[in-house]
Amino acid sequence: MAFITISGLPCSGKTRRAQQLKDHIEHRLKDALYDGPPLKVAVVSDDTLNLPRSVYNDGRAEKPARAALFTAVQRQMAQDTILIVDSLNYIKGFRYQMYCAAREHKLRVCTVFVVATHDQCREWNASREDGHEYTPETLDNLLVRYEEPSSMVRWDSPLFTVPWTDADVPADDIWKAITEGIVKPPNAGTQAVPKAPTDALRTLEHTSTTMVAAIMAEQVASGGLGGPVTLSLSSTLKPKVILPSRNVTLSELQRLKRQFVTVHKKAITLGTTEKGAVDWSEESIADKFALYIEGNLKP
């Protein structure tokens, strides 16, 4: 349904804003005037994943922690869920990564930027008694490294800025964004790449080799007259190929076979961006190789 990214400096009040937003949304979903589909509100945060603030002390510990957060976000994304991610989300590349995942799931998105001054963040961090405070060195490091969201980039838009002086979040505007906003379809960069079956390489090699042998045998039988030829590869596989009116040498066919296999092997091992399902059956490969031979054999 929707994905809301909470972003802000450490100890700027993000969790309080996330809770305010969750309360507002749940209240609207329970309202008698709400006539939309049944939805639930979920929050994913460092605290729900039991990630201590100490992971931000060291980049080597922070990277797997961020990966755990992203995995949890992906698991919670669904059409029946309004998902709020309450974390620093201070790296624009990470926000873009979550944005791409949301587009894959066809969710509406928005970003809530929780604003506070550096001095205010330091003061709130020093006054914490819940064990979730940052060390002074880590706090100062994160304050410097923070990459602010921007309404000029698509992965942070629409952007709602909430300064520390505001008593509440702009619930009406956020509600409109997550219920009426445009659902952007996945683009080529976010779509999963179709994969070939596990036996595609074997089928490709076997079918093309069998066709080369069948063409050579057919030439011997017909005396190299050329024209349309039906190759009997099996009781059910009988591809047709048009040969030139001359004897085609084995070296020519082997060269074409190597080229054909090389091109299609890349598609199998690396995936393909062709739209729709890709057919790697013997029949499909035989037809493709026949067309390849016809298009590349000299008259």
Side-chain angles (χ1 to χ4, degrees), residues 168-220:
D168 207 344
V169 295
D172 292 339
D173 293 335
I174 295 175
W175 174 258
K176 185 175 182 180
I178 63 176
T179 57
E180 302 177 18
I182 298 174
V183 180
K184 296 182 179 180
N187 55 32
T190 62
Q191 290 186 33
V193 177
K195 296 296 183 182
T198 55
D199 63 343
L201 277 174
R202 186 198 65 80
T203 304
L204 175 66
E205 185 71 36
H206 178 265
T207 303
S208 56
T209 300
T210 304
M211 284 186 66
V212 168
I215 290 173
M216 295 303 298
E218 184 64 31
Q219 281 195 133
V220 172

Side-chain angles (χ1 to χ4, degrees), residues 70-100:
F70 181 65
T71 300
V73 165
Q74 285 184 301
R75 287 175 178 169
Q76 293 273 18
M77 285 181 173
Q79 288 297 319
D80 65 345
T81 303
I82 297 175
L83 179 59
I84 302 171
V85 56
D86 169 26
S87 186
L88 285 176
N89 299 320
Y90 70 97
I91 301 174
K92 60 184 179 182
F94 183 60
R95 295 197 297 270
Y96 175 72
Q97 188 179 10
M98 293 191 293
Y99 164 81
C100 289

